[in-house]
């Protein structure tokens, strides 16, 4: 009988089950009531008590082996065999994979950075949550001076010294304190003003600040730097003009306009029929600001400018509503590709 158990065990091991039919054959042959294993159990009844103990153990192991194999084969055939194959139609078009793209404001920012880097400017950064001193006082805004009203500021109620920066000019004095001249940096970033949201205004927007401080930096450098920038950004035909203006931290100060790209100077809605569009504020850094940055105004001079990124983007891509930039509507955002030089 021992021999029989061994040979049936071998048979169980060698039996390959690849279909439901073979699975049933396996069951009938080994496990079913009339199968080989139950008949061995019948025979075992006749054996002597010692033999019963020994052979019973072996027979139980064989039974377990066969039942185990049956169960796992059953699971496998349930999953695969005799099930209708899922139809795969290889001629169907693939589901398009949507790649993201950069936000139009980011595209403009990268382009501005690229142009100024070529002109020798490096990149600097400053905090959006700022103290009064860096945003106003250090920039020559005296306390309670009406010039502070030009920028409707978000203050923190608990601590009136803390505010959301109203312009990227807050980085100017931070930079001066960090490194001695020459300084030639641009500082892009987000700024905040308490303005009613409309197509033309939002409570936050983006600027790029520029600062150049060295010996003998003059207004001509400012003019040529921004003219070169405008030509790189908008093409060689662009016209540029400087209008006298006022900022407490620059003297003299000027607003920078470029000829309207949409109507080419003829007059349209974007340029309010003037033919010109304002893109930046600028001027020669005020001596008091240099002093606050521990720089001697007798030795060094410099220019600064602040450019609105939204405005530049609007001209590049001809978007006429500012709100679109922060609505996260992918139908709008998907339309923009890098502007190549
Ligand atoms: N900070 C000014 C503004 O936000 C722009 C500016 C920057 C003007 C640097 C002069 C020099 O309006």
């Amino acid at each position: 009988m021992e021999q029989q158990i061994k040979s049936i065990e071998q048979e169980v091991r060698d039996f390959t089950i690849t279909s439901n039919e073979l699975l049933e054959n396996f069951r009938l042959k080994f496990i079913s009531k009339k199968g080989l294993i139950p008949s061995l159990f019948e025979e075992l009844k006749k054996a002597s008590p010692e033999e019963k103990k020994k052979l019973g153990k072996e027979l139980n192991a064989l039974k377990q082996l066969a039942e185990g194999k049956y169960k796992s084969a059953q699971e496998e055939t349930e999953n695969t065999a005799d099930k209708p194959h899922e139809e795969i139609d290889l001629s169907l078009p693939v589901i398009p994979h949507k790649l993201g793209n950069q936000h139009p404001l980011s595209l403009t920012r990268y382009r501005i950075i690229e142009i100024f880097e070529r002109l020798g400017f490096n990149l600097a950064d400053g905090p959006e949550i700022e103290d009064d001193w860096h945003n106003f006082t250090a920039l020559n805004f005296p306390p309670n001076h009406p010039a502070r009203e030009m920028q409707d500021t978000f203050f923190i109620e608990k601590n009136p010294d803390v505010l959301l920066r109203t312009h990227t000019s807050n980085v100017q004095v931070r930079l001066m304190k960090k490194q001695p001249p020459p300084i030639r940096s641009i500082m892009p970033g987000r700024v905040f003003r308490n303005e009613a949201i409309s197509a033309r205004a939002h409570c936050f927007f983006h600027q790029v600040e520029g600062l150049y401080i060295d010996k003998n930096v003059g207004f001509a450098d400012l003019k040529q730097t921004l003219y070169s920038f405008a030509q790189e950004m908008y093409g060689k035909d662009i016209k540029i003009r400087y209008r006298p203006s006022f900022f407490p931290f620059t003297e003299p100060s000027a607003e920078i306009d470029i000829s309207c790209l949409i109507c080419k100077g003829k007059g349209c809605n974007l340029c309010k029929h003037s033919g010109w569009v304002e893109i930046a504020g600028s001027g020669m850094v005020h001596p008091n600001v240099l002093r606050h940055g521990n720089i001697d105004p007798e030795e060094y001079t410099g220019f600064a400018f602040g450019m609105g990124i939204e405005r530049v983007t609007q001209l590049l891509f001809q978007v006429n509503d500012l709100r679109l930039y922060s609505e996260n509507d992918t139908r709008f955002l998907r339309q923009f590709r890098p502007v190549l030089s």
Side-chain angles (χ1 to χ4, degrees):
M1 184 164 170
E2 202 172 345
Q3 210 45 48
Q4 257 176 311
I5 295 176
K6 286 242 162 70
S7 78
I8 293 175
E9 187 193 322
Q10 199 52 49
E11 270 187 78
V12 167
R13 287 191 196 282
D14 291 345
F15 201 111
T16 33
I17 306 170
T18 50
S19 67
N20 276 342
E21 202 182 331
L22 285 166
L23 183 71
E24 182 59 6
N25 288 350
F26 180 87
R27 190 185 70 80
L28 288 173
K29 182 166 182 189
F30 298 107
I31 312 173
S32 71
K33 268 191 188 151
K34 286 179 189 160
L36 288 170
I37 296 171
S39 70
L40 282 181
F41 272 105
E42 275 306 309
E43 248 176 73
L44 189 65
K45 286 180 187 161
K46 297 175 202 153
S48 68
E50 288 113 76
E51 267 185 331
K52 254 189 201 165
K53 211 172 169 193
K54 184 168 168 273
L55 293 173
K57 231 183 193 169
E58 286 173 20
L59 203 50
N60 267 326
L62 174 61
K63 187 182 166 206
Q64 263 170 26
L65 175 78
E67 283 178 353
K69 181 162 177 161
Y70 178 76
K71 234 187 183 163
S72 62
Q74 190 179 35
E75 276 164 21
E76 220 164 278
T77 51
E78 254 171 28
N79 289 338
T80 53
D82 300 329
K83 245 188 160 182
H85 283 293
E86 269 180 56
E87 295 280 315
I88 300 170
D89 184 350
L90 292 173
S91 67
L92 281 176
V94 291
I95 298 166
H97 182 70
K98 277 187 197 137
L99 278 180
N101 62 284
Q102 284 166 331
H103 192 281
L105 294 178
S106 300
L107 292 171
T108 311
R109 189 175 75 244
Y110 293 142
R111 182 86 180 103
I112 295 173
I113 292 171
E114 196 192 324
I115 295 171
F116 278 107
E117 276 185 341
R118 254 187 277 147
L119 292 172
F121 285 74
N122 64 12
L123 206 57
D125 206 358
E128 291 178 358
I129 301 171
E130 187 53 287
D131 52 51
D132 184 282
W133 195 77
H134 284 98
N135 195 81
F136 289 125
T137 312
L139 294 174
N140 207 29
F141 287 81
N144 304 319
H145 191 279
R148 290 187 182 222
E149 304 258 309
M150 283 160 67
Q151 303 178 351
D152 203 343
T153 311
F154 288 111
F155 289 97
I156 310 291
E157 249 175 32
K158 274 193 183 160
N159 182 355
D161 192 37
V162 178
L163 49 86
L164 296 179
R165 67 171 173 191
T166 55
H167 50 185
T168 42
S169 304
N170 70 322
V171 196
Q172 286 191 18
V173 172
R174 288 185 176 273
L175 210 57
M176 294 179 204
K177 289 202 147 177
K178 215 158 64 186
Q179 65 168 98
I183 296 171
R184 209 188 306 171
S185 301
I186 52 165
M187 310 136 225
R190 188 164 25 200
V191 303
F192 307 83
R193 292 184 197 175
N194 184 17
E195 284 176 26
I197 298 169
S198 72
R200 290 179 159 267
H202 211 302
C203 57
F204 72 89
F205 58 99
H206 300 77
Q207 289 187 331
V208 178
E209 191 82 4
L211 183 66
Y212 179 21
I213 298 172
D214 203 350
K215 289 182 174 150
N216 301 318
V217 177
F219 201 84
D221 299 301
L222 167 63
K223 280 183 76 173
Q224 188 54 40
T225 304
L226 281 141
Y227 184 45
S228 305
F229 163 78
Q231 283 195 321
E232 285 288 319
M233 192 78 184
Y234 300 109
K236 298 284 173 219
D237 302 336
I238 200 79
K239 289 199 197 76
I240 190 163
R241 75 175 185 186
Y242 291 78
R243 263 183 303 118
S245 184
F246 170 77
F247 300 100
F249 41 98
T250 47
E251 182 60 36
S253 304
E255 307 272 3
I256 303 170
D257 295 346
I258 57 167
S259 49
C260 180
L261 291 165
I262 313 245
C263 63
K264 306 268 179 270
K266 283 191 208 95
C268 68
N269 268 343
L270 183 85
C271 61
K272 294 187 202 139
H273 302 280
S274 69
W276 296 94
V277 186
E278 183 194 319
I279 57 158
S282 67
M284 301 306 295
V285 180
H286 196 288
N288 285 348
V289 178
L290 292 172
R291 280 188 203 104
H292 283 137
N294 299 333
I295 293 173
D296 181 0
E298 299 299 328
E299 200 181 343
Y300 291 101
T301 49
F303 69 73
F305 60 87
M307 194 168 349
I309 299 187
E310 274 80 354
R311 177 54 62 84
V312 177
T313 313
Q314 195 174 22
L315 288 169
L316 272 187
F317 298 116
Q318 318 203 339
V319 174
N320 55 14
D321 190 331
L322 257 178
R323 289 167 293 195
L324 289 166
Y325 293 126
S326 48
E327 278 173 356
N328 273 342
D329 186 337
T330 53
R331 288 168 304 180
F332 169 72
L333 296 172
R334 267 208 305 270
Q335 299 175 45
F336 302 92
R337 295 285 173 272
V339 194
L340 300 172
S341 37

